[in-house]
Amino acid sequence: MLNGIFSKVAGVVIALMMSAAAAENLRSQVDTARDRVWVLTRSGVQIYDLKSGLKTRDIALPDWIWAGEPYGCSPDLALGPTGDALISSDTLPTLWRVDGVTMRVSMHELVLDDERDKDVGFSGLAYSAEQGAFFGVSCSQGSLWRIDPLLGRARKIPLSAPLTRASGLFVRPRVFQQKTSRVVGFCARAAQGAWTINLAPDQRSGYVFAQPCTN
């Protein structure tokens, strides 16, 4: 079963990489539960059927602003638990949500609890099912943020070291250190390296290891 899924995913990804528009693709996410591949391009979002590899949707993102290299780290696309897609700007704390059923786009300007005088955008997005929230990493500030489920506010999570020019964020499975002690964390990556981030038990701060995730 898993081999079949991986084969389908690989087939679609290869087809996208070989297409003439591949250079326009910024990020991609696979939704195996709904047989979809979401592709973030320089002009918006494209959706492909996972089984056939055929494009089924072109979705524009109204007033979408991003910088990319050399000024930023490019925006990101992440999937939520109900098939919705969240798209970021790498220069503004604004998110675009694509409804997984209707495909309607809504724009959400986040209120930050810190660094309101800085250009905070998100170059990495990840959804944590365990915490029921999206998290974002800022390329320009090297900071980590928790985004509330209503997409109205974002809270900065103090880190032991900045995630310099981080351009990707992934949820890391819990690591059981002891029977009663669990660590929640993330993996972040950049052109010059990668980090492992462990959140404190109260999830209000995090410790950064300058190494890729190993589990």
Side-chain angles (χ1 to χ4, degrees):
M1 178 65 177
L2 289 177
N3 288 336
I5 292 175
F6 292 148
S7 296
K8 290 191 293 184
V9 172
V12 173
V13 171
I14 290 172
L16 291 174
M17 292 177 62
M18 294 179 63
S19 71
E24 299 295 309
N25 299 341
L26 300 172
R27 302 291 173 89
S28 63
Q29 292 286 350
V30 178
D31 184 351
T32 55
R34 298 165 185 84
D35 287 329
R36 294 173 182 164
V37 179
W38 295 74
V39 179
L40 182 63
T41 75
R42 295 176 181 272
S43 57
V45 176
Q46 297 177 346
I47 300 179
Y48 289 79
D49 180 78
L50 185 58
K51 294 179 179 178
S52 66
L54 298 177
K55 184 168 66 174
T56 59
R57 291 268 187 169
D58 270 305
I59 301 173
L61 303 173
D63 299 321
W64 185 40
I65 299 174
W66 60 279
E69 299 290 351
Y71 309 103
C73 293
S74 296
D76 199 9
L77 180 152
L79 301 181
T82 61
D84 300 340
L86 209 63
I87 299 96
S88 68
S89 164
D90 61 337
T91 60
L92 299 173
T94 302
L95 301 172
W96 285 257
R97 175 182 175 272
V98 181
D99 187 280
V101 177
T102 66
M103 300 298 161
R104 292 177 180 172
V105 180
S106 56
M107 188 169 66
H108 305 264
E109 297 180 3
L110 300 176
V111 176
L112 306 180
D113 74 341
D114 197 358
E115 298 188 352
R116 297 185 183 182
D117 59 334
K118 300 177 181 178
D119 295 328
V120 176
F122 300 114
S123 51
L125 289 173
Y127 180 78
S128 171
E130 195 157 11
Q131 300 180 61
F134 282 93
F135 289 77
V137 63
S138 169
C139 167
S140 59
Q141 307 303 324
S143 50
L144 180 67
W145 300 77
R146 179 186 172 120
I147 302 166
D148 82 77
L150 297 179
L151 306 182
R153 306 181 67 85
R155 175 174 58 83
K156 183 180 177 181
I157 300 175
L159 300 174
S160 62
L163 307 171
T164 306
R165 295 192 68 78
S167 60
L169 186 68
F170 310 90
V171 176
R172 182 168 60 90
R174 280 181 178 263
V175 179
F176 289 83
Q177 294 180 323
Q178 300 173 358
K179 291 183 179 180
T180 59
S181 175
R182 296 181 296 180
V183 176
V184 181
F186 296 90
C187 309
R189 68 184 182 194
Q192 74 276 18
W195 301 272
T196 297
I197 309 154
N198 288 341
L199 296 189
D202 62 4
Q203 300 176 14
R204 292 186 174 276
S205 62
Y207 190 85
V208 177
F209 299 88
Q211 61 188 35
C213 291
T214 56
N215 43 33

